Amino acid sequence: MATVIVIVIYLALLLGLALFSKTLFRGTSKDYFVASHSIGPFMLLMSVFGTTMTAFALVGSTGKAFSLGIGTYGLMASSSGLIHAACFFMIGIKLWAIGKRYGYVTQIQYFRARFESKGFGYLLFPILVALVIPYLLIGVIGAAKTIVGVTGEKITPKGTIPGTFPEFFSDTGGAIPAWLTGLVICSVVLTYIFAGGSRATAWANTFQTLVFMVMGILAFYLISSKLGGVGAAIEQASDAHKVRTLSESATGKEIGVSKWVFLTYMFVPLSVGMFPHLFQHWLTAKSAKSFKLTVIAHPICIMIVWVPCVLIGIWATGQIPAGTPSGAVLSKTVGMLVKDPIVVGLVTTGILAAIMSSLDSQFLCLGTMFTNDIVLHDTKKTYTDKQTLMIARGFIIGIVILVYILAQILYKKNVFDLAVWSFSGFAGLTPLVIAALYWKRATKIGAYACVIAAFATWLIFFAKSGFGGEYNPGGVTPASIIWVVAALAMIIGSLASSPPKEETVAKYF
Amino acid sequence: MKKNWIIIAVFLLLAVLHQDLWNWNNPALVWGFIPIGLFYHACYSIVAAGFWAFVVKFAWPTKLEEWAEGNDEL
């Protein structure tokens, strides 16, 4: 019960902070969508870092290290330190400048103007939405599974301990059911997005990022203490997980990483260059200088969160059964070794913070895109700021309901692998933004070819993976092939068509 | 211009150094608790931050900000 109280207090604090940020809301659509370009360096770092670190940051990193070993850090964390910061520097700052100068609040507004095509937005919008939705599902399902793990019945050598609420939820053995967790999480996120849009999201993300960074370190300290210190903890871990050599676990699962997968995984972090929710965060920056701290500190923030989590995952190989689902490794390890319910509650709030700091930005960006790229685009009707905000909020409610329903339907599926598919899709689209920003000769035809080629290749690989499983065609990551195909399509399509108009080139270069 | 080429060269060098094949099968522990393959990549994160600090200091696009405000040419 104490665990649930800690979580409720955290959610109340989050709502309180977000409602405070409402007092700073200026009531305009520009403030709602991009916080009137007023976010300073520290909040930009926290909101960008919090948004890029999803459920994957605490739960996924621990689970992947538990199954693959130390290679997880090089695959997903150290490469991101180099590539994410490169995207912020090479893409983020430039898009911020273009967005500020021409008043854009979505990627599609820029691409439509840069590639001289209104129709291009109608091609890109559904693809971006289709790639964001699995990402959203991971958050809602991940939160529900975490709470079920924490409040459900526990099997111990002394017998079964009933769940937290056996009188209310007998069907789930006393665990808070997925429908209720999903409802609470979605309602909290919806409340603060409603209250202040981008500004509330930036405030909430700053708080959530600090919470999940501190809680990750807390979990690391408590678990290592219980195992007799960091030296004793690593001694108890499986030797196969301390190297990247390919081997097989007792359950027949592969441990380690192939060298080609390790190399081509460098393409996956490119996805941040095309995340629509990150584009929106970039545009909230007060000035280009606000990016300086984000570019420098991002690799360090990743290290602070990922090194402890990867070590916990490796230690867990000596503590819990090899067949444990990857999503349950952190909660099982904490539950087994750290029995204090308040501490379990604190670590759980860290996991929820990591999840919710991405959910809010994704919901908000979909509302922003729908309003600006579909409803307001090319319309002859004039909308007031109040009407614009109503449209955005209405669409956000619709998306939240859709995601909530899909999360209930797909709850039992293992959706964590979907995250990598979502990243791969966005990574495959980055030749579009790189060409738009740096290649004067990039044309409308090249842009269409690039997006169609990227999405078609992604769909083929996604289908071959069994719609979300692990699949490395030819021993390399799908993201690397999709990226190369999309880049070739952009180059061939552009060179085979007439150059863009001179005024377009003059406007952006 | 020369500065940009140096930055690109260092970036590519860092991308190559990410592929630490020499640590692949090495089970050694640094300070008795951190596998060397993980230690190397944790240090890599710090070096990456240092590299970006260098880029921010010496290759910051100052004109871009003025252009964003509509005051100057790109």
Side-chain angles (χ1 to χ4, degrees):
Chain A
M1 191 62 179
T3 303
V4 177
I5 292 171
V6 171
I7 296 167
V8 170
I9 291 172
Y10 163 72
L11 293 175
L13 279 173
L14 183 61
L15 274 180
L17 181 78
L19 292 176
F20 158 73
S21 74
K22 193 188 174 187
T23 60
L24 305 172
F25 180 48
R26 299 174 191 173
T28 63
S29 58
K30 192 178 176 188
D31 203 67
Y32 191 81
F33 295 134
V34 290
S36 304
H37 307 295
S38 64
I39 301 298
F42 181 70
M43 278 180 70
L44 186 70
L45 166 68
M46 289 290 110
S47 50
V48 166
F49 179 64
T51 302
T52 49
M53 296 291 117
T54 57
F56 238 78
L58 297 182
V59 183
S61 56
T62 316
K64 271 280 177 195
F66 178 76
S67 53
L68 296 183
I70 58 160
T72 302
Y73 189 88
L75 272 183
M76 299 174 175
S78 57
S79 57
S80 297
L82 185 69
I83 306 291
H84 282 184
C87 290
F88 301 156
F89 187 77
M90 301 297 295
I91 299 173
I93 298 170
K94 230 169 168 187
L95 285 179
W96 170 84
I98 290 170
K100 182 149 193 193
R101 179 153 177 152
Y102 298 117
Y104 301 142
V105 293
T106 72
Q107 290 164 309
I108 288 174
Q109 287 175 328
Y110 165 59
F111 288 132
R112 271 181 167 143
R114 167 64 183 85
F115 292 117
E116 305 157 336
S117 168
K118 289 175 182 174
F120 187 67
Y122 297 113
L123 170 72
L124 194 56
F125 176 79
I127 292 175
L128 293 178
V129 174
L131 291 173
V132 170
I133 284 187
Y135 207 166
L136 284 163
L137 284 174
I138 297 157
V140 179
I141 295 175
K145 284 190 174 174
T146 301
I147 297 295
V148 165
V150 169
T151 60
E153 54 186 23
K154 312 255 179 329
I155 299 162
T156 69
K158 291 176 188 168
T160 303
I161 301 169
T164 312
F165 301 104
E167 312 84 21
F168 295 106
F169 308 117
S170 53
D171 292 354
T172 56
I176 296 176
W179 66 264
L180 184 55
T181 303
L183 194 63
V184 171
I185 296 294
C186 288
S187 303
V188 170
V189 170
L190 199 56
T191 304
Y192 67 78
I193 296 176
F194 251 67
S198 267
R199 189 179 297 281
T201 304
W203 275 88
N205 282 358
T206 301
F207 174 59
Q208 288 164 323
T209 305
L210 290 171
V211 166
F212 79 71
M213 288 177 85
V214 171
M215 293 313 154
I217 294 167
L218 179 73
F220 176 79
Y221 170 73
L222 292 169
I223 291 170
S224 67
S225 299
K226 289 285 173 186
L227 291 173
V230 285
I234 200 76
E235 287 301 323
Q236 296 165 53
S238 138
D239 287 336
H241 288 75
K242 297 172 195 167
V243 290
R244 272 168 281 170
T245 318
L246 283 173
S247 59
E248 218 172 69
S249 73
T251 54
K253 288 197 172 174
E254 197 172 73
I255 304 169
V257 194
S258 100
K259 288 174 179 128
W260 279 106
V261 167
F262 196 78
L263 173 68
T264 55
Y265 221 93
M266 295 284 274
F267 283 87
V268 177
L270 282 169
S271 51
V272 300
M274 272 302 289
F275 282 159
H277 44 286
L278 215 51
F279 176 88
Q280 199 164 353
H281 272 302
W282 289 337
L283 286 192
T284 64
K286 194 184 217 168
S287 69
K289 289 184 194 78
S290 300
F291 280 84
K292 287 184 176 178
L293 184 64
T294 304
V295 171
I296 298 167
H298 191 76
I300 302 286
C301 288
I302 292 177
M303 187 190 74
I304 291 170
V305 172
W306 280 68
V307 169
C309 289
V310 167
L311 278 172
I312 292 172
I314 295 164
W315 299 342
T317 58
Q319 308 298 325
I320 58 176
T324 305
S326 59
V329 173
L330 182 61
S331 55
K332 276 218 172 214
T333 312
V334 170
M336 196 181 77
L337 296 171
V338 187
K339 294 190 173 67
D340 185 330
I342 293 177
V343 175
V344 173
L346 288 172
V347 174
T348 308
T349 59
I351 297 171
L352 293 181
I355 291 171
M356 291 164 75
S357 62
S358 302
L359 274 182
D360 51 12
S361 309
Q362 292 157 348
F363 280 135
L364 180 65
C365 91
L366 291 182
T368 306
M369 282 160 57
F370 176 75
T371 309
N372 292 285
D373 299 330
I374 304 297
V375 179
L376 300 184
H377 172 70
D378 222 16
T379 181
K380 285 177 184 129
K381 199 174 163 186
T382 312
Y383 291 91
T384 63
D385 250 7
K386 206 174 171 184
Q387 287 170 321
T388 304
L389 289 179
M390 269 183 66
I391 295 165
R393 285 169 168 156
F395 187 74
I396 291 169
I397 291 179
I399 283 287
V400 171
I401 293 171
L402 175 72
V403 168
Y404 175 75
I405 293 168
L406 283 174
Q408 303 315 307
I409 295 167
L410 300 171
Y411 176 72
K412 286 190 177 162
K413 297 239 176 204
N414 181 12
V415 291
F416 274 88
D417 282 339
L418 277 180
V420 178
W421 281 103
S422 180
F423 299 158
S424 300
F426 282 115
L429 289 171
T430 51
L432 176 75
V433 69
I434 294 169
L437 290 171
Y438 291 99
W439 193 31
K440 292 178 185 175
R441 186 66 178 75
T443 68
K444 176 172 89 173
I445 300 297
Y448 272 93
C450 175
V451 171
I452 291 167
F455 194 62
T457 315
W458 180 86
L459 266 182
I460 292 166
F461 289 156
F462 189 53
K464 286 200 168 191
S465 76
F467 298 97
E470 203 167 320
Y471 177 67
N472 292 317
V476 299
T477 56
S480 58
I481 299 178
I482 299 168
W483 196 93
V484 171
V485 169
L488 285 174
M490 169 57 89
I491 293 167
I492 295 166
S494 295
L495 294 178
S497 53
S498 309
K501 290 177 195 158
E502 275 180 27
E503 56 260 40
T504 304
V505 174
K507 189 176 175 184
Y508 296 108
F509 292 92
Chain B
M1 202 59 187
K2 192 182 168 189
K3 206 163 48 186
N4 289 348
W5 283 110
I6 293 171
I7 287 167
I8 291 168
V10 176
F11 178 84
L12 293 175
L13 177 68
L14 282 174
V16 172
L17 287 175
H18 186 264
Q19 313 306 309
D20 59 328
L21 303 178
W22 55 92
N23 284 326
W24 215 266
N25 308 319
N26 189 347
L29 296 175
V30 178
W31 299 322
F33 81 93
I34 181 161
I36 194 159
L38 179 58
F39 177 77
Y40 176 88
H41 279 276
C43 293
Y44 184 93
S45 296
I46 297 167
V47 172
F51 166 69
W52 288 114
F54 173 83
V55 173
V56 162
K57 172 94 180 154
F58 296 104
W60 188 254
T62 40
K63 283 186 181 171
L64 197 62
E65 192 152 7
E66 291 166 15
W67 178 82
E69 302 290 349
N71 299 333
D72 205 351
E73 288 302 307
L74 187 59

